Amino acid sequence: MLDSTAATRVRTGHKIDFLVRENHFKAVNDTLGHAAGDAVLAAFGVRLTAWAGPHAAVGRLGGDEFAAVLHLAAGRRQVRLEQLVRMLHTPVTLDDGRTVDVAASVGAAAPDMLGTRDLTALQRAADAALYDGKHSGRAVLATATHATTPSINGRRAGRPGTAVWGRAA
């Protein structure tokens, strides 16, 4: 339900679209097992939901990727993005007491910066920004250059609303 809720929020004045991706998810699954991977995903979902607040649309797109659409005033974006990165870099404690160091890449896109309120275009720009900052330890806010990137390694290709970009990766 993220797509219809998120689209409504963009049309009605909510200002920013985020994509979040856990950077070491495969390594967690491969070394600690799927239960640990599930715990990391659940922790990311809880953290992103808490950060975004009650008026946001937050959801898991699949794999280790999450999205959120929320109002975030231009003057507070950098501070809030830095806060999100800190939250997502806090180790996750597993049920057995072990801790897992985690990290995330964050890409964000704002209609006022890109000149569009189209959710698909914002999501594509946020995806390009995410890959631009991948493994940098910082969130990247999309620019006009990110908005002109059709896809990153075909990742957006084939997902709902993106069939025009080609086949799925």
Side-chain angles (χ1 to χ4, degrees):
M1 289 300 290
L2 179 65
D3 287 338
S4 63
T5 304
T8 300
R9 292 185 192 279
V10 169
R11 282 193 305 272
T12 59
H14 284 258
K15 302 293 184 201
I16 199 155
D17 181 33
F18 286 90
L19 291 178
V20 174
R21 187 162 192 199
E22 206 285 324
N23 286 341
H24 308 293
F25 181 67
K26 183 175 178 352
V28 170
N29 266 348
D30 290 350
T31 60
L32 300 174
H34 291 281
D38 291 347
V40 168
L41 292 176
F44 267 54
V46 167
R47 292 172 185 182
L48 182 58
T49 300
W51 175 84
H55 301 292
V58 177
R60 181 175 170 208
L61 297 178
D64 59 356
E65 190 171 63
F66 294 82
V69 176
L70 66 146
H71 174 78
L72 196 56
R76 303 250 323 128
R77 286 181 189 149
Q78 194 60 43
V79 170
R80 294 283 284 142
L81 285 169
E82 290 168 6
Q83 178 189 41
L84 176 61
V85 169
R86 281 192 308 273
M87 288 176 77
L88 295 175
H89 283 78
T90 302
V92 173
T93 302
L94 304 177
D95 288 340
D96 63 7
R98 292 180 294 169
T99 59
V100 179
D101 289 328
V102 292
S105 298
V106 178
D112 62 322
M113 291 184 66
L114 300 179
T116 183
R117 296 173 73 86
D118 178 70
L119 183 59
T120 300
L122 292 169
Q123 206 169 10
R124 183 175 58 234
D127 190 48
L130 179 147
Y131 267 83
D132 194 30
K134 190 136 178 83
H135 304 293
S136 71
R138 62 184 177 86
V140 176
L141 191 56
T143 63
T145 301
H146 295 114
T148 61
T149 305
S151 69
I152 302 299
N153 297 328
R155 288 184 64 252
R156 285 276 156 245
R159 289 198 179 166
T162 62
V164 297
W165 296 324
R167 61 181 175 76

